[in-house]
Amino acid sequence: DTGVSQNPRHKITKRGQNVTFRCDPISEHNRLYWYRQTLGQGPEFLTYFQNEAQLEKSRLLSDRFSAERPKGSFSTLEIQRTEQGDSAMYLCASSEGDTQYFGPGTRLTVL
Amino acid sequence: AQTVTQSQPEMSVQEAETVTLSCTYDTSESDYYLFWYKQPPSRQMILVIRQEAYKQQNATENRFSVNFQKAAKSFSLKISDSQLGDAAMYFCAPSGGTSYGKLTFGQGTILTVHP
């Protein structure tokens, strides 16, 4: 059974650059979530997909952020014009029912 | 909206002893789930235990059990026979029925296990 995978695991970028992260959920999981976690804090919800439909977006998700889940399989999270405040761990989780399973995360560092 | 309070930033326990991590929450949902996740240093979030709010019986998973007090909105985690591998950050997280199942995490409790 393959778990949730995320790529890349680490990303270092300069302020103002665009970055894109990928999440591959557990196969046949129809729900996919993105969270952001800063050091020493609990994760915060960013957005949620049911199949290919993006059903909820947090106010944390400014217009520089966009997420997609084409064909209801993998998902991408893009951050445009990165800022130092975007430095965090970006976590992806998937579920079929009420229990979410997390990937290893992508750690973003914005210099 | 849901809020979660984990009042113990850090806890420690001796190997083989028992420790309880506390969590209180607030929710307007009538039907929800409650979870404890652990996050070892530099490793991914792992599900520890799950509780359905409509069930009065407390969930148990091997050495892990919860004390769920719905009226008090309290959801504590008890770890029995603590092992070195239990050292991690522990997060309490309710999941609302009408909010697409998104999790609201507390601030976490760092658990240290002493040999």
Side-chain angles (χ1 to χ4, degrees):
Chain A
D1 182 24
T2 305
V4 179
S5 62
Q6 293 187 245
N7 288 288
R9 295 290 305 276
H10 303 274
K11 179 70 177 179
I12 300 174
T13 191
K14 293 182 178 179
R15 189 175 53 187
Q17 297 295 304
N18 299 345
V19 294
T20 300
F21 311 139
R22 175 175 171 133
C23 170
D24 287 88
I26 294 170
S27 54
E28 299 181 356
H29 277 193
N30 57 358
R31 298 181 180 183
L32 188 147
Y33 304 80
W34 285 98
Y35 295 85
R36 181 173 69 187
Q37 184 179 25
T38 53
L39 200 61
Q41 302 296 313
E44 297 173 292
F45 169 78
L46 291 179
T47 190
Y48 158 71
F49 290 87
Q50 173 101 14
N51 298 312
E52 67 274 11
Q54 187 174 20
L55 297 184
E56 187 172 356
K57 293 171 61 174
S58 163
R59 284 188 296 273
L60 293 175
L61 219 63
S62 74
D63 56 6
R64 296 185 297 105
F65 288 70
S66 63
E68 295 181 341
R69 192 183 182 196
K71 302 179 183 179
S73 56
F74 70 92
S75 175
T76 58
L77 178 67
E78 181 183 15
I79 309 175
Q80 296 182 327
R81 305 181 304 280
T82 53
E83 302 173 354
Q84 287 186 326
D86 296 331
S87 294
M89 177 78 85
Y90 290 83
L91 300 173
C92 176
S94 71
S95 73
E96 189 175 23
D98 54 88
T99 301
Q100 294 178 35
Y101 298 90
F102 283 81
T106 294
R107 181 169 295 284
L108 173 66
T109 302
V110 181
L111 302 176
Chain B
Q2 296 173 320
T3 60
V4 181
T5 301
Q6 292 181 248
S7 59
Q8 306 153 316
E10 297 182 26
M11 290 285 284
S12 64
V13 64
Q14 291 292 132
E15 199 175 4
E17 297 293 306
T18 295
V19 64
T20 298
L21 308 183
S22 66
C23 171
T24 58
Y25 62 94
D26 194 13
T27 181
S28 57
E29 303 284 351
S30 58
D31 182 21
Y32 55 94
Y33 297 86
L34 293 154
F35 301 88
W36 279 97
Y37 284 88
K38 66 181 278 189
Q39 189 176 39
S42 301
R43 296 183 64 184
Q44 70 190 76
M45 196 81 73
I46 302 167
L47 175 69
V48 174
I49 200 165
R50 164 186 175 273
Q51 173 80 41
E52 296 160 345
Y54 67 87
K55 288 188 176 179
Q56 292 186 337
Q57 185 173 5
N58 290 322
T60 298
E61 194 70 44
N62 299 318
R63 298 181 294 105
F64 299 88
S65 61
V66 299
N67 183 1
F68 174 46
Q69 303 289 330
K70 189 172 184 179
K73 295 183 179 175
S74 170
F75 183 59
S76 61
L77 175 69
K78 186 171 80 171
I79 306 173
S80 304
D81 185 25
S82 297
Q83 301 176 359
L84 295 177
D86 295 334
M89 176 83 96
Y90 284 80
F91 292 101
C92 170
S95 171
T98 59
S99 56
Y100 303 110
K102 70 181 181 185
L103 295 166
T104 301
F105 287 86
Q107 297 280 36
T109 296
I110 299 173
L111 178 66
T112 302
V113 182
H114 297 289

